[in-house]
Amino acid sequence: MRWRDRIVVFFFPQGLMLTVAALMLFFIHLSVFVSDVYNFCVTHHYDRMSFHYTVILMFTQVIGICWAAMGSLYAEMTDDKFLRCSALIILILNGITFFSRLSLEFLAIQYREENH
Amino acid sequence: MERQGSVWNLRPGLLERARGPAWTAPCPRLSVVSVLRPAALEKLVSQDARGQVGGLPTAARGKRFQLWALGCVCTERHLAKRLKSNSFYPFMQQQPKVFVLEYYLDTLWKGSLLFAVCLLLVVFGVVSEVHRQATWGFPACGMVAGLWLMVSSLPRRRLVLNHTRGIYHFSIQGRTVCQGPLHLVYVRLALSSDAYGRSFFQLVLCGHKLEPLVLVQLSERYEQMEFLGRHIARKLDINYFDHQATSYRHVVRHWPLGAAFSPGIVLRRDRSYSRPGRSLTELDV
């Protein structure tokens, strides 16, 4: 199929869509993580960190890993080496982001808002 | 086995002769007393067995959502009733040997429902904050997922079985996705079992690079499902496969190119045998 046709039926190849969605989620999580690390280590503005969004962030991290794994499975079924490698790399990146986020939340657990 | 003989008289010659020695393999569900016998099902199906010819633009517009109902409440009686009114169900016969199916995926209504529910949740702020955590992100994710499901199901799918050219053609909103020989489209009986060992069957129309279409969702009656599957495959003139990979109950009408020359396949002296030879010369694959 030509690439122009493939863009028109953009939603049809399921594995590719899942991998692309996982890549987008990776970029979102990376930007949130970078801003959190900046506020935690550099400027020490702890109230600008993403403590209010921890639950939804953990949820989307796990969903990102699941989608990347499913996309990697679909890619393994094709014979395209480029697709298989990129899907696997995206899965690894999502995994790294998840564990980095977990470590940051653990390090910053003392700096959360106190409610008595 | 005598009951099987009375059912398969519908297509004399090919099925009976090909199945001669193989009927000794016992069907695992034959001893189950079923409510609706295959012979009665055959009567239900064949009473008004006339395919609807022509008139595709007007008659087919309402038929595009027919697979949705079949996905919700599908027993084999429901499918048999549909087959009574349109014997080439779910296809429409455009010309004597050309069958067309236009449909929308059922994720269209599922995505729309998810989008609408999550939109209401976000607008009315029902779950926007729980214990000082901003949880409006959950319905927002639901909205995005529902929107994606809806938009990806909006293009109309079109599957054409063309027996005069010996190919099938699958397109989405006019763009060809794939086109290939007819041995790649088939009706399949799929088996799933629960923890107690009970078997449930599913009748699926699928093929190479096609989206699988479930015709009957869940049924325990093996004979009726097999009868319906064979009936549909006979009307559409495509292959039918049993739930097991190796089985005597497969009905293969179209062989892959070059299969006639493989040593494992015994050649049948039958008029349908001429089809591989004809397809080799006529197909420009």
Side-chain angles (χ1 to χ4, degrees):
Chain A
M1 263 178 68
R2 295 174 304 169
W3 284 107
R4 202 167 61 221
D5 290 331
R6 201 169 274 282
I7 287 171
V8 170
V9 291
F10 187 51
F11 302 99
F12 185 57
Q14 259 184 315
L16 199 60
M17 265 315 289
L18 287 167
T19 307
V20 166
L23 185 69
M24 278 167 30
L25 278 178
F26 165 71
F27 283 131
I28 294 172
H29 295 141
L30 187 69
S31 56
V32 172
F33 183 71
V34 163
S35 103
D36 271 354
V37 166
Y38 181 72
N39 285 321
F40 187 60
C41 300
V42 178
T43 58
H44 298 288
H45 283 147
Y46 303 118
D47 50 344
R48 290 186 201 163
M49 290 178 70
S50 68
F51 292 132
H52 287 289
Y53 298 97
T54 306
V55 173
I56 186 68
L57 267 178
M58 299 305 278
F59 175 73
T60 49
Q61 298 260 8
V62 172
I63 292 289
I65 290 179
C66 287
W67 284 353
M70 277 158 49
S72 184
L73 270 176
Y74 275 106
E76 286 292 327
M77 289 197 285
T78 67
D79 285 327
D80 196 350
K81 193 173 174 190
F82 175 72
L83 198 62
R84 282 159 64 183
C85 287
S86 55
L88 204 57
I89 286 170
I90 287 168
L91 175 63
I92 291 168
L93 286 174
N94 272 293
I96 290 172
T97 321
F98 174 74
F99 286 110
S100 318
R101 163 64 47 189
L102 205 57
S103 316
L104 182 66
E105 292 298 331
F106 182 66
L107 287 172
I109 206 165
Q110 302 284 339
Y111 296 88
R112 289 181 165 260
E113 190 182 342
E114 293 187 0
N115 307 310
H116 296 288
Chain B
M1 290 306 158
E2 10 350 306
R3 192 175 53 188
Q4 299 289 330
S6 68
V7 170
W8 306 133
N9 274 333
L10 295 170
R11 189 179 164 100
L14 176 64
L15 278 177
E16 282 182 356
R17 215 171 332 137
R19 295 293 175 276
W23 281 139
T24 52
C27 170
R29 314 255 332 149
L30 207 54
S31 55
V32 172
V33 176
S34 44
V35 174
L36 193 66
R37 305 219 173 261
L41 206 62
E42 164 205 337
K43 217 184 300 180
L44 193 65
V45 161
S46 64
Q47 256 169 19
D48 195 11
R50 241 179 31 245
Q52 295 182 358
V53 183
L56 197 61
T58 50
R61 218 162 272 146
K63 303 270 181 203
R64 284 179 197 146
F65 306 103
Q66 60 186 350
L67 287 170
W68 290 8
L70 219 50
C72 288
V73 183
C74 25
T75 60
E76 53 274 4
R77 275 204 87 122
H78 194 87
L79 181 63
K81 267 184 242 166
R82 295 287 185 115
L83 280 169
K84 185 175 144 187
S85 56
N86 175 18
S87 71
F88 299 106
Y89 187 83
F91 288 80
M92 302 269 295
Q93 190 186 39
Q94 202 175 30
Q95 286 159 36
K97 285 197 159 195
V98 178
F99 305 108
V100 179
L101 171 65
E102 288 188 339
Y103 65 98
Y104 291 102
L105 277 181
D106 60 344
T107 48
L108 185 61
W109 68 266
K110 290 174 187 167
S112 317
L113 188 65
L114 182 66
F115 178 72
V117 167
C118 291
L119 185 67
L120 287 175
L121 283 177
V122 166
V123 162
F124 291 117
V126 176
V127 282
S128 60
E129 196 172 291
V130 175
H131 285 300
R132 288 184 177 267
Q133 284 279 322
T135 51
W136 55 264
F138 290 100
C141 282
M143 261 173 66
V144 171
L147 191 66
W148 178 76
L149 279 175
M150 196 168 66
V151 174
S152 74
S153 320
L154 269 177
R156 193 176 58 243
R157 275 94 171 132
R158 189 181 156 100
L159 177 60
V160 181
L161 301 177
N162 197 332
H163 286 284
T164 49
R165 289 181 60 196
I167 54 165
Y168 75 95
H169 178 96
F170 183 59
S171 59
I172 296 182
Q173 201 74 34
R175 300 265 171 182
T176 304
V177 172
C178 70
Q179 183 172 328
L182 274 171
H183 69 269
L184 293 172
V185 183
Y186 52 91
V187 179
R188 175 103 196 222
L189 197 64
L191 171 80
S192 52
S193 53
D194 67 352
Y196 297 104
R198 279 167 64 192
S199 323
F200 296 95
F201 301 99
Q202 201 180 33
L203 199 61
V204 185
L205 174 81
C206 40
H208 177 63
K209 289 206 176 202
L210 294 186
E211 295 165 343
L213 301 173
V214 179
L215 297 172
V216 180
Q217 184 71 33
L218 208 66
S219 170
E220 284 197 78
R221 305 191 184 100
Y222 176 77
E223 293 133 347
Q224 281 101 15
M225 294 285 276
E226 191 191 26
F227 174 79
L228 285 170
R230 284 176 184 246
H231 182 89
I232 291 171
R234 185 177 62 244
K235 283 289 180 179
L236 296 173
D237 200 18
I238 52 178
N239 297 341
Y240 164 81
F241 293 114
D242 198 24
H243 61 271
Q244 290 166 328
T246 311
S247 163
Y248 289 115
R249 308 185 85 90
H250 297 324
V251 179
V252 183
R253 295 187 173 85
H254 305 272
W255 293 93
L257 297 175
F261 307 110
S262 88
I265 293 178
V266 175
L267 306 178
R268 292 192 301 243
R269 258 178 247 103
D270 210 334
R271 57 180 165 79
S272 70
Y273 171 56
S274 61
R275 201 168 285 145
R278 193 189 64 177
S279 63
L280 275 171
T281 52
E282 285 189 358
L283 272 180
D284 49 344
V285 171

